[in-house]
PDB file of all heavy atoms in Angstrom:
ATOM      1  N   SER A1229      67.011  48.375 -18.599  1.00  0.00           N
ATOM      2  CA  SER A1229      67.424  47.599 -17.390  1.00  0.00           C
ATOM      3  C   SER A1229      67.507  46.164 -17.583  1.00  0.00           C
ATOM      4  O   SER A1229      68.443  45.511 -17.067  1.00  0.00           O
ATOM      5  CB  SER A1229      66.398  47.911 -16.184  1.00  0.00           C
ATOM      6  OG  SER A1229      66.609  49.186 -15.706  1.00  0.00           O
ATOM      7  N   ILE A1230      66.575  45.545 -18.323  1.00  0.00           N
ATOM      8  CA  ILE A1230      66.595  44.116 -18.580  1.00  0.00           C
ATOM      9  C   ILE A1230      67.817  43.769 -19.394  1.00  0.00           C
ATOM     10  O   ILE A1230      68.574  42.771 -19.097  1.00  0.00           O
ATOM     11  CB  ILE A1230      65.310  43.632 -19.239  1.00  0.00           C
ATOM     12  CG1 ILE A1230      64.136  43.730 -18.233  1.00  0.00           C
ATOM     13  CG2 ILE A1230      65.430  42.160 -19.731  1.00  0.00           C
ATOM     14  CD1 ILE A1230      62.777  43.448 -18.874  1.00  0.00           C
ATOM     15  N   THR A1231      68.102  44.511 -20.432  1.00  0.00           N
ATOM     16  CA  THR A1231      69.302  44.277 -21.253  1.00  0.00           C
ATOM     17  C   THR A1231      70.579  44.440 -20.519  1.00  0.00           C
ATOM     18  O   THR A1231      71.469  43.657 -20.605  1.00  0.00           O
ATOM     19  CB  THR A1231      69.354  45.287 -22.506  1.00  0.00           C
ATOM     20  OG1 THR A1231      68.066  45.084 -23.248  1.00  0.00           O
ATOM     21  CG2 THR A1231      70.522  44.968 -23.369  1.00  0.00           C
ATOM     22  N   ALA A1232      70.630  45.513 -19.653  1.00  0.00           N
ATOM     23  CA  ALA A1232      71.805  45.741 -18.857  1.00  0.00           C
ATOM     24  C   ALA A1232      72.002  44.636 -17.864  1.00  0.00           C
ATOM     25  O   ALA A1232      73.156  44.159 -17.633  1.00  0.00           O
ATOM     26  CB  ALA A1232      71.647  47.018 -18.049  1.00  0.00           C
ATOM     27  N   ALA A1233      70.976  44.058 -17.223  1.00  0.00           N
ATOM     28  CA  ALA A1233      71.090  43.023 -16.259  1.00  0.00           C
ATOM     29  C   ALA A1233      71.654  41.761 -16.872  1.00  0.00           C
ATOM     30  O   ALA A1233      72.520  41.080 -16.400  1.00  0.00           O
ATOM     31  CB  ALA A1233      69.730  42.744 -15.629  1.00  0.00           C
ATOM     32  N   VAL A1234      71.067  41.386 -18.072  1.00  0.00           N
ATOM     33  CA  VAL A1234      71.548  40.234 -18.816  1.00  0.00           C
ATOM     34  C   VAL A1234      72.945  40.313 -19.257  1.00  0.00           C
ATOM     35  O   VAL A1234      73.758  39.356 -19.209  1.00  0.00           O
ATOM     36  CB  VAL A1234      70.618  39.983 -20.114  1.00  0.00           C
ATOM     37  CG1 VAL A1234      71.207  38.885 -20.956  1.00  0.00           C
ATOM     38  CG2 VAL A1234      69.209  39.640 -19.681  1.00  0.00           C
ATOM     39  N   GLU A1235      73.429  41.533 -19.580  1.00  0.00           N
ATOM     40  CA  GLU A1235      74.823  41.738 -20.003  1.00  0.00           C
ATOM     41  C   GLU A1235      75.759  41.998 -18.817  1.00  0.00           C
ATOM     42  O   GLU A1235      76.949  42.208 -18.981  1.00  0.00           O
ATOM     43  CB  GLU A1235      74.886  42.953 -20.964  1.00  0.00           C
ATOM     44  CG  GLU A1235      74.135  42.661 -22.298  1.00  0.00           C
ATOM     45  CD  GLU A1235      74.157  43.915 -23.206  1.00  0.00           C
ATOM     46  OE1 GLU A1235      74.589  45.010 -22.720  1.00  0.00           O
ATOM     47  OE2 GLU A1235      73.708  43.786 -24.348  1.00  0.00           O
ATOM     48  N   GLY A1236      75.182  42.019 -17.606  1.00  0.00           N
ATOM     49  CA  GLY A1236      76.008  42.153 -16.426  1.00  0.00           C
ATOM     50  C   GLY A1236      76.345  43.594 -16.076  1.00  0.00           C
ATOM     51  O   GLY A1236      77.218  43.849 -15.217  1.00  0.00           O
ATOM     52  N   ASN A1237      75.720  44.533 -16.688  1.00  0.00           N
ATOM     53  CA  ASN A1237      75.919  45.973 -16.363  1.00  0.00           C
ATOM     54  C   ASN A1237      74.989  46.391 -15.216  1.00  0.00           C
ATOM     55  O   ASN A1237      74.011  47.161 -15.364  1.00  0.00           O
ATOM     56  CB  ASN A1237      75.603  46.867 -17.578  1.00  0.00           C
ATOM     57  CG  ASN A1237      76.554  46.525 -18.756  1.00  0.00           C
ATOM     58  OD1 ASN A1237      77.725  46.271 -18.517  1.00  0.00           O
ATOM     59  ND2 ASN A1237      76.058  46.580 -20.014  1.00  0.00           N
ATOM     60  N   ASN A1238      75.326  45.933 -13.994  1.00  0.00           N
ATOM     61  CA  ASN A1238      74.450  46.071 -12.853  1.00  0.00           C
ATOM     62  C   ASN A1238      74.321  47.553 -12.479  1.00  0.00           C
ATOM     63  O   ASN A1238      73.179  47.927 -11.987  1.00  0.00           O
ATOM     64  CB  ASN A1238      75.061  45.334 -11.665  1.00  0.00           C
ATOM     65  CG  ASN A1238      75.109  43.811 -11.946  1.00  0.00           C
ATOM     66  OD1 ASN A1238      74.132  43.240 -12.483  1.00  0.00           O
ATOM     67  ND2 ASN A1238      76.176  43.136 -11.474  1.00  0.00           N
ATOM     68  N   GLY A1239      75.302  48.372 -12.650  1.00  0.00           N
ATOM     69  CA  GLY A1239      75.182  49.788 -12.329  1.00  0.00           C
ATOM     70  C   GLY A1239      74.088  50.433 -13.092  1.00  0.00           C
ATOM     71  O   GLY A1239      73.340  51.258 -12.527  1.00  0.00           O
ATOM     72  N   ILE A1240      74.003  50.151 -14.400  1.00  0.00           N
ATOM     73  CA  ILE A1240      72.891  50.747 -15.208  1.00  0.00           C
ATOM     74  C   ILE A1240      71.513  50.128 -14.923  1.00  0.00           C
ATOM     75  O   ILE A1240      70.531  50.794 -14.790  1.00  0.00           O
ATOM     76  CB  ILE A1240      73.257  50.611 -16.696  1.00  0.00           C
ATOM     77  CG1 ILE A1240      74.447  51.560 -17.062  1.00  0.00           C
ATOM     78  CG2 ILE A1240      72.047  50.928 -17.575  1.00  0.00           C
ATOM     79  CD1 ILE A1240      74.861  51.516 -18.486  1.00  0.00           C
ATOM     80  N   ALA A1241      71.543  48.799 -14.679  1.00  0.00           N
ATOM     81  CA  ALA A1241      70.251  48.030 -14.488  1.00  0.00           C
ATOM     82  C   ALA A1241      69.521  48.602 -13.269  1.00  0.00           C
ATOM     83  O   ALA A1241      68.334  48.920 -13.288  1.00  0.00           O
ATOM     84  CB  ALA A1241      70.541  46.543 -14.248  1.00  0.00           C
ATOM     85  N   VAL A1242      70.176  48.734 -12.061  1.00  0.00           N
ATOM     86  CA  VAL A1242      69.600  49.200 -10.893  1.00  0.00           C
ATOM     87  C   VAL A1242      69.495  50.690 -10.837  1.00  0.00           C
ATOM     88  O   VAL A1242      68.456  51.271 -10.488  1.00  0.00           O
ATOM     89  CB  VAL A1242      70.360  48.730  -9.661  1.00  0.00           C
ATOM     90  CG1 VAL A1242      69.732  49.208  -8.340  1.00  0.00           C
ATOM     91  CG2 VAL A1242      70.357  47.187  -9.627  1.00  0.00           C
ATOM     92  N   GLY A1243      70.570  51.406 -11.229  1.00  0.00           N
ATOM     93  CA  GLY A1243      70.641  52.860 -11.199  1.00  0.00           C
ATOM     94  C   GLY A1243      69.552  53.475 -12.074  1.00  0.00           C
ATOM     95  O   GLY A1243      68.966  54.537 -11.688  1.00  0.00           O
ATOM     96  N   ASN A1244      69.213  52.838 -13.226  1.00  0.00           N
ATOM     97  CA  ASN A1244      68.246  53.349 -14.142  1.00  0.00           C
ATOM     98  C   ASN A1244      66.865  53.386 -13.462  1.00  0.00           C
ATOM     99  O   ASN A1244      66.125  54.380 -13.555  1.00  0.00           O
ATOM    100  CB  ASN A1244      68.194  52.464 -15.419  1.00  0.00           C
ATOM    101  CG  ASN A1244      67.062  52.825 -16.341  1.00  0.00           C
ATOM    102  OD1 ASN A1244      66.796  54.020 -16.515  1.00  0.00           O
ATOM    103  ND2 ASN A1244      66.416  51.856 -16.872  1.00  0.00           N
ATOM    104  N   VAL A1245      66.536  52.305 -12.772  1.00  0.00           N
ATOM    105  CA  VAL A1245      65.203  52.216 -12.104  1.00  0.00           C
ATOM    106  C   VAL A1245      65.116  53.236 -10.998  1.00  0.00           C
ATOM    107  O   VAL A1245      64.126  53.954 -10.880  1.00  0.00           O
ATOM    108  CB  VAL A1245      64.930  50.807 -11.622  1.00  0.00           C
ATOM    109  CG1 VAL A1245      63.680  50.738 -10.662  1.00  0.00           C
ATOM    110  CG2 VAL A1245      64.639  49.844 -12.849  1.00  0.00           C
ATOM    111  N   ILE A1246      66.062  53.192 -10.071  1.00  0.00           N
ATOM    112  CA  ILE A1246      66.050  54.081  -8.951  1.00  0.00           C
ATOM    113  C   ILE A1246      66.025  55.593  -9.438  1.00  0.00           C
ATOM    114  O   ILE A1246      65.286  56.412  -8.968  1.00  0.00           O
ATOM    115  CB  ILE A1246      67.238  53.871  -8.004  1.00  0.00           C
ATOM    116  CG1 ILE A1246      67.146  52.436  -7.468  1.00  0.00           C
ATOM    117  CG2 ILE A1246      67.277  54.836  -6.859  1.00  0.00           C
ATOM    118  CD1 ILE A1246      68.302  51.965  -6.594  1.00  0.00           C
ATOM    119  N   GLY A1247      66.995  55.881 -10.395  1.00  0.00           N
ATOM    120  CA  GLY A1247      67.084  57.263 -10.831  1.00  0.00           C
ATOM    121  C   GLY A1247      65.793  57.673 -11.563  1.00  0.00           C
ATOM    122  O   GLY A1247      65.369  58.815 -11.403  1.00  0.00           O
ATOM    123  N   SER A1248      65.191  56.758 -12.323  1.00  0.00           N
ATOM    124  CA  SER A1248      63.917  57.086 -13.053  1.00  0.00           C
ATOM    125  C   SER A1248      62.776  57.362 -12.017  1.00  0.00           C
ATOM    126  O   SER A1248      62.062  58.301 -12.257  1.00  0.00           O
ATOM    127  CB  SER A1248      63.551  55.934 -13.987  1.00  0.00           C
ATOM    128  OG  SER A1248      64.442  55.818 -15.034  1.00  0.00           O
ATOM    129  N   ASN A1249      62.719  56.633 -10.999  1.00  0.00           N
ATOM    130  CA  ASN A1249      61.674  56.764  -9.995  1.00  0.00           C
ATOM    131  C   ASN A1249      61.782  58.128  -9.293  1.00  0.00           C
ATOM    132  O   ASN A1249      60.832  58.817  -8.990  1.00  0.00           O
ATOM    133  CB  ASN A1249      61.605  55.627  -9.010  1.00  0.00           C
ATOM    134  CG  ASN A1249      60.929  54.421  -9.589  1.00  0.00           C
ATOM    135  OD1 ASN A1249      60.772  54.298 -10.792  1.00  0.00           O
ATOM    136  ND2 ASN A1249      60.509  53.534  -8.728  1.00  0.00           N
TER     137      ASN A1249
END
Side-chain angles (χ1 to χ4, degrees):
S1229 286
I1230 292 173
T1231 301
V1234 171
E1235 294 177 353
N1237 297 323
N1238 297 319
I1240 289 180
V1242 178
N1244 174 39
V1245 166
I1246 297 174
S1248 292
N1249 282 17

